Amino acid sequence: MSNASLRSQGWFGRTGKDGFIYRAWMKNQGIPDEEFRGKPVIGICNTWSELTPCNAHFRELAESVKKGVIAAGGFPLEFPVMSLGETLIKPTAMLYRNLASMDVEESIRANPLDGVVLLCGCDKTTPSLVMGACSVDIPTIVVSGGPMLTGRYEGKNIGTSDIWRFADAVRSGDMSQEQLTVAEACMCRSRGHCAVMGTASTMACMVESLGLTLPSNAAIPAADSRRKVLAQYSGSRIVEMVKEDLKPSDILTREAFENAIRINAAIGGSTNFVIHLIAIARRIGIDLTLEDLHINSADIPLLANLQPSGQYFMEDFYYAGGLPVVMKAMHDRLHADCITANGKTLKENYKDATSYNDDVIRDLSNPFKKETGLAVLKGNLCENGAVIKPSAASSHLMRHTGRAVVFENIEDYHARVDDPALEIDETSVMVLKNVGPVGYPGMPEVGNMGIPKKLLEKGVKDMVRISDGRMSGTGFGTVVLHVSPEAAKGGTLALVKTGDMIALDVYDRTLQLLVDDEELAKRKAAWKPSHIEATRGYVQLYQQHVEQAHLGADMDFLKGCSGSKVTRDSH
Ligand code: FES
């Protein structure tokens, strides 16, 4: 692409009043005239926020990107977008993923940008930025913020997955409130996102598997100086990508998505991967379905021994060689010739990868677990599908039939779960309704609901749990998620009553409510939605337009790409 044909020249290359306005106000930042004369303008889309602690180091990271852009002859301009911090935002960051993606899409299209670097970290900041960028489709590269260093508490390594263990230990009296407070600082002892293979790390692996980053992006710890080096190189590379006109639509082919699914299964990635990947695919025009997830995951064993499915942390993963080692081990199962952001194929990027710890990253001949990292379920309880993470489930519950104990919503669950009179034992199946996209709204991470206190005290560690919600990528257990259609939309889940029998068979990939069709039809005729409907603002828009989990929970009107053309030019 010649400098004269750069998109940004539609602003900065103009003469007369319009050109004056576009350049003059930029010059109040001390920018010299030559910056506007045909240099590729690179937007640095920054999710920095002190309300998003996982991304709080991003201004520094942006400086490294800028150095790279300048070194390669580009003109960097940093801009903020809505930042979604998983830990503080109520009711759930997922409610705002689509809103943030709209911010990103419109910010990129409306401004004089030729290429964009997406600074992503905490869970939703990756899919929201990638979704928005895909709907514009100018050259794009992703830089992840990197995981925290491994936590250390009382001489042991800890990470986010230990929160669930700590919470259960406090409820059962094995841990004091004081010990819990000490553990807080021990867990989060450095900059970066969650240090396990939770959703943020899964997203960082997803973008590397898709080819949207430089190699090794996924695992370099945030506190490791090599993270800044990668950011600087990414800044230089995006300038070249603009010259080559290498866009997301060139990289994000169906084969690239299939690679991401297979790699996600091998690393035991978060179940949230399913929803975000499908949403991204639908933005870029690939009709990816749960069936594709199933077909491409089914025969992939777990290679990465990482929490929550295994033992190690993201820091260990990086020192063991990181994602390129996993890719190399999976060479025969990948579309190795997919093009990536650095202009090389996936295979060229991983061919020299070396494994430095084969206990952390195994190969196909000696997997860490035979169970795949992801399974898609079908049955009358989830006509459009549901997901489970077999690698983080209990083997004795993978094929289980039990009596349903139903909670109508999350408030009902909190009110009754620890009631000593609740009729429940370890063979029961806990069912939680109305935590789906429309029902909550926003599909929160409450699917791995805590086990009743009286069962914890008996030593019960896991039970089958089913809901239309999601689970934190750091969570674990035999937890069926993303049931579609959700209860609030009148799916079969809405019709389950306490005392019904439910059969889960992860090996056969089925989830059945053992109630005959006649009885279900009667219940359906009497059913009325019980969720709260918003009456104004974004939440109303969301409830009216959000799609079901199996479609990625995006808004129906956001599917697809509008390109980078600005429709009206009023100056
Ligand atoms: Fe931000 Fe876990 S809370 S990645």
Side-chain angles (χ1 to χ4, degrees), residues 119-334:
L119 295 189
C120 308
C122 198
D123 299 10
K124 306 300 177 296
T125 58
T126 304
S128 59
L129 267 56
V130 175
M131 287 161 69
C134 282
S135 288
V136 186
D137 199 29
I138 63 171
T140 300
I141 195 166
V142 179
V143 175
S144 301
M148 290 183 223
L149 299 176
T150 307
R152 293 284 291 172
Y153 171 68
E154 293 188 344
K156 292 198 186 95
N157 289 337
I158 59 165
T160 318
S161 301
D162 289 288
I163 294 173
W164 320 113
R165 295 187 187 98
F166 291 161
D168 284 348
V170 169
R171 288 172 72 216
S172 64
D174 293 333
M175 188 177 194
S176 69
Q177 190 56 48
E178 290 69 31
Q179 284 175 303
L180 193 66
T181 305
V182 170
E184 289 169 5
C186 297
M187 180 178 297
C188 299
R189 68 188 182 93
S190 86
R191 53 173 59 187
H193 59 68
C194 290
V196 299
M197 187 51 79
T199 303
S201 297
T202 301
M203 291 295 100
C205 290
M206 176 189 77
V207 285
E208 186 172 337
S209 311
L210 286 169
L212 289 172
T213 73
L214 294 186
S216 292
N217 166 75
I220 305 171
D224 192 312
S225 50
R226 287 167 285 187
R227 175 59 63 187
K228 283 189 182 171
V229 175
L230 180 127
Q232 183 165 333
Y233 283 155
S234 301
S236 292
R237 176 59 197 155
I238 187 67
V239 177
E240 299 305 314
M241 288 173 76
V242 169
K243 290 176 185 163
E244 295 162 12
D245 199 25
L246 182 60
K247 301 185 297 296
S249 56
D250 300 314
I251 294 171
L252 296 177
T253 59
R254 169 163 279 278
E255 288 73 24
F257 282 97
E258 290 179 357
N259 283 340
I261 296 167
R262 293 170 192 176
I263 292 165
N264 183 68
I267 58 174
S270 160
T271 45
N272 288 319
F273 168 88
V274 177
I275 282 191
H276 300 320
L277 191 80
I278 289 176
I280 291 166
R282 288 163 66 86
R283 291 292 185 102
I284 203 72
I286 304 286
D287 195 15
L288 201 72
T289 65
L290 277 183
E291 198 55 27
D292 294 310
L293 269 293
H294 169 62
I295 291 167
N296 287 285
S297 298
D299 62 341
I300 307 285
L302 184 65
L303 302 186
N305 179 3
L306 298 171
Q307 289 209 16
S309 301
Q311 172 190 355
Y312 293 103
F313 296 83
M314 288 303 289
E315 202 182 337
D316 306 306
F317 187 48
Y318 180 54
Y319 302 150
L323 203 63
V325 172
V326 176
M327 292 183 188
K328 191 174 180 182
M330 295 183 64
H331 173 75
D332 294 340
R333 310 284 184 100
L334 297 179

Side-chain angles (χ1 to χ4, degrees), residues 19-52:
F20 179 95
I21 291 170
Y22 293 134
R23 289 183 301 271
W25 269 260
M26 293 297 286
K27 287 180 178 178
N28 80 349
Q29 300 175 80
I31 298 168
D33 200 43
E34 59 266 27
E35 294 295 299
F36 303 101
R37 293 193 198 134
K39 286 188 181 179
V41 179
I42 305 300
I44 302 172
C45 181
N46 201 341
T47 48
W48 169 86
S49 169
E50 288 176 343
L51 292 170
T52 305

Side-chain angles (χ1 to χ4, degrees), residues 195-481:
V196 299
M197 187 51 79
T199 303
S201 297
T202 301
M203 291 295 100
C205 290
M206 176 189 77
V207 285
E208 186 172 337
S209 311
L210 286 169
L212 289 172
T213 73
L214 294 186
S216 292
N217 166 75
I220 305 171
D224 192 312
S225 50
R226 287 167 285 187
R227 175 59 63 187
K228 283 189 182 171
V229 175
L230 180 127
Q232 183 165 333
Y233 283 155
S234 301
S236 292
R237 176 59 197 155
I238 187 67
V239 177
E240 299 305 314
M241 288 173 76
V242 169
K243 290 176 185 163
E244 295 162 12
D245 199 25
L246 182 60
K247 301 185 297 296
S249 56
D250 300 314
I251 294 171
L252 296 177
T253 59
R254 169 163 279 278
E255 288 73 24
F257 282 97
E258 290 179 357
N259 283 340
I261 296 167
R262 293 170 192 176
I263 292 165
N264 183 68
I267 58 174
S270 160
T271 45
N272 288 319
F273 168 88
V274 177
I275 282 191
H276 300 320
L277 191 80
I278 289 176
I280 291 166
R282 288 163 66 86
R283 291 292 185 102
I284 203 72
I286 304 286
D287 195 15
L288 201 72
T289 65
L290 277 183
E291 198 55 27
D292 294 310
L293 269 293
H294 169 62
I295 291 167
N296 287 285
S297 298
D299 62 341
I300 307 285
L302 184 65
L303 302 186
N305 179 3
L306 298 171
Q307 289 209 16
S309 301
Q311 172 190 355
Y312 293 103
F313 296 83
M314 288 303 289
E315 202 182 337
D316 306 306
F317 187 48
Y318 180 54
Y319 302 150
L323 203 63
V325 172
V326 176
M327 292 183 188
K328 191 174 180 182
M330 295 183 64
H331 173 75
D332 294 340
R333 310 284 184 100
L334 297 179
H335 303 292
D337 292 326
C338 283
I339 199 76
T340 72
N342 68 355
K344 296 183 180 169
T345 63
L346 206 61
K347 181 173 60 190
E348 287 174 301
N349 288 341
Y350 65 63
K351 71 177 179 358
D352 296 325
T354 305
S355 173
Y356 298 107
N357 188 335
D358 55 16
D359 195 34
V360 177
I361 307 173
R362 305 283 183 85
D363 60 27
L364 288 169
S365 64
N366 177 33
F368 170 57
K369 286 185 186 176
K370 290 208 175 66
E371 289 85 16
T372 181
L374 183 81
V376 175
L377 304 171
K378 280 282 176 77
N380 72 343
L381 190 45
C382 54
E383 295 100 317
N384 293 329
V387 302
I388 188 169
K389 189 172 182 177
S391 61
S394 301
S395 51
H396 71 282
L397 292 173
M398 298 279 274
R399 187 170 275 152
H400 179 81
T401 300
R403 173 183 169 274
V405 175
V406 175
F407 302 99
E408 291 298 327
N409 51 47
I410 194 69
E411 290 77 18
D412 181 34
Y413 162 79
H414 286 306
R416 294 195 295 124
V417 66
D418 287 337
D419 182 346
L422 183 68
E423 275 187 52
I424 192 165
D425 65 24
E426 59 271 37
T427 67
S428 304
V429 174
M430 297 172 74
V431 176
L432 176 60
K433 302 179 183 176
N434 289 307
V435 290
V438 174
Y440 190 71
M443 210 181 173
E445 294 182 332
V446 295
N448 56 327
M449 57 196 119
I451 290 168
K453 193 174 170 188
K454 66 180 178 184
L455 298 182
L456 283 176
E457 286 166 354
K458 273 175 61 184
V460 177
K461 295 264 188 266
D462 193 12
M463 292 171 67
V464 174
R465 288 158 275 179
I466 299 171
S467 77
D468 45 13
R470 297 177 302 118
M471 172 172 80
S472 163
T474 61
F476 50 87
T478 312
V479 183
V480 177
L481 303 151

